[in-house]
Amino acid sequence: MMQKEVSNLKLSDLFAGCHNRQRVPVFKMLIGGKWVESENGRTLDIDSPIDDSIIGKVQAATKADAGAAVEAAYGARKAIRDIPAIDRIDMLNKARHILDAHRDDFVKTMVLEAGKPIHMAEGEVRASGNRIKMTMEEARKIFGEYIPGDWSEDTMAKFALVIHEPLGVIACISPFNYPLFSIVAKVVPALVAGNPVIVKAASDDPLVSLLLGRVLQEAGVPDGAINVITGSGKEAGEALVTHDRVAMITLTGSTEVGMRVAKLVGMKKMHLELGGKGAAIVAADADLTLAAKKVLEGSLKYSGQRCDAISRVFVEARVADRFVGLLLKEYDSWKLGDPRDEHYNMGPLINPRASERVQRLVDDATSKGARLLKGGKHRKSYFEPTVLDFVPPEAEIAIEETFGPVVTVMRVKSLQEAIELTNASRYGLDSCVFTNNFYTAWKVAKALEEGSVSVNDAPAHGVGYFPFGGNKDSGLGREGVGYSVDEMTKIKTIQFNLAPAGLGKTHQTLKM
Ligand code: NAP
């Protein structure tokens, strides 16, 4: 039965008959259950970082379009909230099956618009399905609490029920690097907790968000409870986050954008997953072969375009030559090329501007004394896997988020120096330590001012089974299977007075 329903959905319907003269598909956006154009007819080009060709056009939502999406969501609050929880779970499980049946559409779109290597795009689709499944399991734990009042004089003969309620309209703003997973991780807990949502995906790769909107619509999410708009962060994004009827903003993106949004929105609930500057601390007693392999993987996977990437490596000086030698030995397993070809495990950065930015960081480091051991050049969006050694702490690449495929090695005299340099950063998302001594691992993990610390592994948020999130300028709140559902509800306390019915206990002062 499910298979039949699933096979009836053609995601290509999204742009059928909607080509412009150059036969470039033009995608509409989803507002209030209808696929619509922007009110002024403007569109944005979507370029593929693979070869800079235009692969599609999306609507450039205006302030009025964003307002229409918020009104549609506001009007759908009752529709989503009134669906019994078990039916909401069925609906989202159906979405998971539809997503799975259209895995190839999602993978191909992600490879084309984000330049993601095939195996990574497949991994993201799989992780998204798993995240939906685990969220449904966790959603069953939204219970609340019964609190008897006779533990306090002023609540004698009373009790309270503490219940979780939906927040209302939630604006979900996502980054380019996980165009499917980061939206699933926001939209699914929001819907299962009874909130209508508006998605605004990154303008570099928004096509996947439109496909997901179609899947959720097909799965039976009520009209208006899922809206997907496209358009610039500056216009459509700001119109969304500042709208009076939006109750919560969940945004994953850069620290700069997160801070701007935080300043704009005033008293709204916010969940911010922002930038990071992950450190790997390699102790002299570490398994250096393991550390080198994990450091390369943590720095180069998806060309370093991950908030949980390792973007600086502090290695104790007495083992540094051996460690760097092992890094260079493993380096050749990283192959840069067309992400449509499975032979390559690294593809382009998201656009040529991103490559130019990383080039500036690498050139700045070498001009300040860093030694370039491998790579270091780009062609259009393709940046070579790069290894820098002896990077001085004043180099920009030692301070700012890299978001490119660079292993940044810094030699330190002691673990204490590594801890201090790590904590000197304004970021506090993820870091890791490599050591074979339990007490060293514990000491470093406790001392780091990070949201998460991994021991003998590169940081990875994965499906979110373990919670994650940032301290300092890396964000607010925690994401994770159950944590995200919690973030998307509010607590109401309902107090019952039993005294009028002669029920409940009365206070007696004990006479000694
Ligand atoms: P970005 O430039 O900050 O954009 C993120 C989203 O915000 C996009 O949808 C963007 O729309 C929108 N936006 C931009 N300006 C806005 C504004 N004034 N008001 C409202 N929305 C606005 O980030 P990105 O380059 O796509 O993604 C990379 C960043 O995300 C990195 O810093 C990375 O560390 C971070 N990230 C963090 C996590 C985490 O878990 N902590 C996970 C993934 C990524 P446009 O695209 O239209 O500008």
Side-chain angles (χ1 to χ4, degrees):
M1 177 63 188
M2 181 62 74
Q3 279 312 312
K4 187 162 179 291
E5 285 172 26
V6 163
S7 62
N8 285 341
L9 172 69
K10 287 200 213 75
L11 292 173
S12 51
D13 287 350
L14 272 181
F15 51 82
C18 194
H19 290 83
N20 72 359
R21 268 194 232 111
Q22 292 94 45
R23 306 294 300 163
V24 174
V26 183
F27 293 81
K28 295 181 181 174
M29 53 191 176
L30 178 61
I31 298 181
K34 298 202 168 58
W35 290 89
V36 298
E37 293 180 5
S38 142
E39 47 122 26
N40 66 7
R42 274 195 302 127
T43 55
L44 297 177
D45 290 345
I46 306 304
D47 299 337
S48 173
I50 296 174
D51 55 7
D52 298 332
S53 59
I54 299 176
I55 55 169
K57 288 174 182 282
V58 295
Q59 306 303 313
T62 62
K63 188 172 178 195
D65 294 319
V70 176
E71 290 303 337
Y74 194 77
R77 281 173 311 151
K78 191 166 157 33
I80 182 77
R81 188 183 173 144
D82 284 356
I83 300 176
I86 47 166
D87 297 337
R88 248 182 267 153
I89 287 180
D90 277 352
M91 186 175 79
L92 290 163
N93 272 326
K94 183 172 173 193
R96 178 164 68 92
H97 289 296
I98 301 175
L99 174 70
D100 196 43
H102 291 84
R103 200 183 314 126
D104 287 351
D105 290 305
F106 279 90
V107 169
K108 279 185 193 139
T109 307
M110 236 186 282
V111 171
L112 265 189
E113 67 172 340
K116 205 163 252 209
I118 294 172
H119 71 281
M120 284 216 64
E122 285 170 347
E124 187 168 343
V125 177
R126 199 167 45 249
S128 301
N130 286 340
R131 180 59 180 260
I132 300 177
K133 182 167 174 277
M134 287 184 189
T135 303
M136 296 308 103
E137 288 159 5
E138 200 63 30
R140 293 182 185 275
K141 297 184 193 153
I142 314 177
F143 285 140
E145 222 180 346
Y146 159 79
I147 306 182
D150 59 322
W151 293 97
S152 171
E153 269 182 45
D154 60 328
T155 51
M156 194 63 62
K158 293 183 187 174
F159 71 90
L161 290 181
V162 179
I163 62 170
H164 292 260
E165 293 195 319
L167 288 164
V169 176
I170 300 186
C172 305
I173 302 196
S174 62
F176 78 81
N177 59 341
Y178 288 97
L180 176 64
F181 182 81
S182 57
I183 299 176
V184 164
K186 296 175 183 314
V187 165
V188 171
L191 290 173
V192 84
N195 303 285
V197 298
I198 303 134
V199 173
K200 210 290 297 162
S203 297
D204 278 306
D205 51 9
L207 302 182
V208 158
S209 69
L210 296 168
L211 300 187
L212 182 69
R214 182 74 191 95
V215 164
L216 290 167
Q217 195 183 26
E218 185 71 11
V221 176
D223 290 351
I226 170 73
N227 304 278
V228 185
I229 66 169
T230 48
S232 80
K234 190 84 193 72
E235 184 169 359
E238 285 195 14
L240 267 190
V241 297
T242 53
H243 199 293
D244 286 347
R245 288 192 156 164
V246 169
M248 178 186 179
I249 292 129
T250 164
L251 180 147
T252 302
S254 60
T255 292
E256 286 60 37
V257 166
M259 283 187 165
R260 173 159 178 80
V261 168
K263 281 201 187 105
L264 283 175
V265 304
M267 264 182 49
K268 282 189 176 148
K269 183 161 184 185
M270 265 187 303
H271 177 203
L272 302 175
E273 290 291 343
L274 308 177
K277 185 71 190 164
I281 297 180
V282 182
D285 70 5
D287 174 341
L288 294 182
T289 308
L290 172 81
K293 195 169 178 321
K294 292 288 182 182
V295 160
L296 277 173
E297 184 186 309
S299 306
L300 303 181
K301 196 164 76 178
Y302 190 33
S303 300
Q305 300 177 112
R306 300 173 0 261
C307 55
D308 55 8
I310 293 176
S311 70
R312 52 204 171 135
V313 187
F314 297 113
V315 54
E316 284 199 90
R318 59 197 151 118
V319 293
D321 285 343
R322 232 170 356 116
F323 172 73
V324 170
L326 289 163
L327 273 183
L328 298 182
K329 218 166 131 194
E330 284 280 333
Y331 171 90
D332 287 340
S333 57
W334 291 88
K335 307 224 175 304
L336 174 67
D338 188 325
R340 291 168 295 191
D341 181 341
E342 308 230 25
H343 177 247
Y344 300 110
N345 55 3
M346 269 179 72
L349 297 185
I350 191 65
N351 54 43
R353 287 185 312 287
S355 271
E356 283 151 21
R357 185 184 154 275
V358 178
Q359 188 73 64
R360 270 199 311 280
L361 292 176
V362 170
D363 294 347
D364 169 73
T366 51
S367 76
K368 289 175 177 157
R371 289 189 204 159
L372 179 65
L373 302 183
K374 289 280 181 187
K377 291 271 169 299
H378 79 282
R379 200 178 48 78
K380 297 189 173 169
S381 303
Y382 292 79
F383 204 102
E384 295 169 351
T386 295
V387 181
L388 288 174
D389 196 1
F390 292 98
V391 178
E394 65 276 14
E396 238 187 289
I397 204 164
I399 301 163
E400 283 311 316
E401 191 175 32
T402 312
F403 241 58
V406 187
V407 185
T408 302
V409 179
M410 303 167 82
R411 298 173 178 227
V412 289
K413 286 191 218 71
S414 65
L415 289 177
Q416 190 53 35
E417 186 188 354
I419 291 168
E420 283 164 20
L421 285 168
T422 304
N423 286 346
S425 172
R426 68 177 175 136
Y427 298 107
L429 190 60
D430 303 275
S431 280
C432 58
V433 52
F434 291 89
T435 174
N436 274 332
N437 184 310
F438 169 80
Y439 297 106
T440 302
W442 178 249
K443 181 183 156 184
V444 175
K446 285 289 285 175
L448 293 180
E449 298 163 356
E450 308 282 318
S452 357
V453 178
S454 303
V455 178
N456 288 333
D457 206 354
H461 294 171
V463 175
Y465 185 64
F466 296 148
F468 65 86
N471 297 337
K472 303 197 278 192
D473 287 357
S474 289
L476 275 182
R478 289 294 179 266
E479 180 145 307
V481 174
Y483 292 79
S484 297
V485 177
D486 258 5
E487 292 260 6
M488 286 168 180
T489 63
K490 60 187 172 203
I491 279 176
K492 182 182 276 175
T493 306
I494 305 175
Q495 301 183 26
F496 291 82
N497 183 8
L498 300 173
L503 298 171
K505 297 177 187 170
T506 45
H507 187 44
Q508 299 165 11
T509 310
L510 289 180
K511 294 194 177 68
M512 301 297 288

